[in-house]
Amino acid sequence: MNNFYYTANPDVKHEEKHWNFSLLKTTLSFVTDNGVFSKSTVDYGSRVLIKNVDINEMPAGPILDMGCGYGPIGIFLAKTHPERQFTMVDVNNLALSLAKQNAELNQISNVDIFASDGYQNITQKYAGIVTNPPVRAGKEVVDEMITGSYDHLLDDGTLTVVLQKKQGAPSAKKLMKQVFGNVQIVKRDKGYYPFKE
């Protein structure tokens, strides 16, 4: 059975949930369903990333939310930075349809949401790439999200990745240092590390 949130068409019994979440003095509404990651609340890793990514440090240009799921990261950032354009991609078609619904629900128009398996359908370069990668999809998928970002960042563009210490943060940090030559831990928060190159 194909019911993982990191597959294109999760085989699930639909059970939509509607809920609100507040962060950065902003309250958003979300619709989620079975077959997406963290369907009852914005997961802790995504919260840590949203609170610690510095959009103002990025050069001019659009921002990519890689592996957006139903959209919490991209939608919060798009809502709080209306002057920026955001691209949100995922491999999961159910998650993408929810992300589109959630963008509409929160009257967010500065987002472009479409399907992409990793960077497969990404054709432009970004001022910033943010990701809370699907650890359960395996190290290869997570590593590709990190290494693939190099060719899709503008000069001075930044990659921000959040990972749990016990779920691959040390090896991701090492990989980012190899790819970019530098990496910093933006913050340590309950075992979650947002890394920025």
Side-chain angles (χ1 to χ4, degrees):
M1 195 155 92
N2 227 5
N3 59 0
F4 298 108
Y5 63 85
Y6 47 81
T7 52
N9 295 297
D11 178 11
V12 292
K13 182 170 175 263
H14 293 290
E15 194 186 342
E16 276 196 2
K17 287 179 179 251
H18 297 246
W19 43 275
N20 293 341
F21 194 83
S22 299
L23 200 64
L24 304 177
K25 300 185 181 133
T26 305
T27 300
L28 296 180
S29 301
F30 290 101
V31 179
T32 58
D33 200 346
N34 288 335
V36 298
F37 176 65
S38 191
K39 67 177 180 191
S40 304
T41 186
V42 175
D43 66 286
Y44 203 79
S46 292
R47 290 180 220 179
V48 171
L49 181 61
I50 293 162
K51 286 192 286 191
N52 290 289
V53 65
D54 191 346
I55 302 283
N56 302 322
E57 256 189 11
M58 295 175 184
I63 294 158
L64 172 65
D65 177 4
M66 168 57 66
C68 66
Y70 62 84
I73 295 172
I75 288 172
F76 261 107
L77 295 178
K79 187 74 172 179
T80 51
H81 297 86
E83 74 291 352
R84 290 277 193 160
Q85 193 60 37
F86 290 81
T87 299
M88 296 164 58
V89 299
D90 204 289
V91 70
N92 179 338
N93 291 313
L94 170 62
L96 290 166
S97 72
L98 290 166
K100 287 175 186 169
Q101 210 175 324
N102 290 327
E104 214 169 287
L105 195 59
N106 295 286
Q107 285 117 36
I108 292 166
S109 55
N110 55 326
V111 291
D112 185 19
I113 302 168
F114 58 89
S116 184
D117 186 351
Y119 295 93
Q120 203 171 30
N121 298 329
I122 303 294
T123 54
Q124 67 183 110
K125 293 199 174 205
Y126 292 89
I129 296 175
V130 294
T131 185
N132 178 0
V135 172
R136 289 188 182 90
K139 189 176 183 320
E140 204 177 299
V141 173
V142 175
D143 287 358
E144 159 54 24
M145 285 182 159
I146 293 170
T147 55
S149 68
Y150 187 82
D151 294 329
H152 296 283
L153 283 168
L154 294 165
D155 292 346
D156 298 327
T158 61
L159 167 69
T160 309
V161 182
V162 69
L163 282 160
Q164 234 178 327
K165 186 178 181 184
K166 61 177 193 250
Q167 289 190 319
S171 71
K173 182 182 176 205
K174 205 164 131 188
L175 181 63
M176 283 174 77
K177 192 158 176 44
Q178 280 170 8
V179 174
F180 296 100
N182 63 3
V183 63
Q184 73 185 81
I185 297 173
V186 182
K187 190 176 174 63
R188 292 178 172 87
D189 189 335
K190 294 188 181 168
Y192 284 90
Y193 291 20
F195 295 118
K196 180 180 131 249
E197 73 60 34

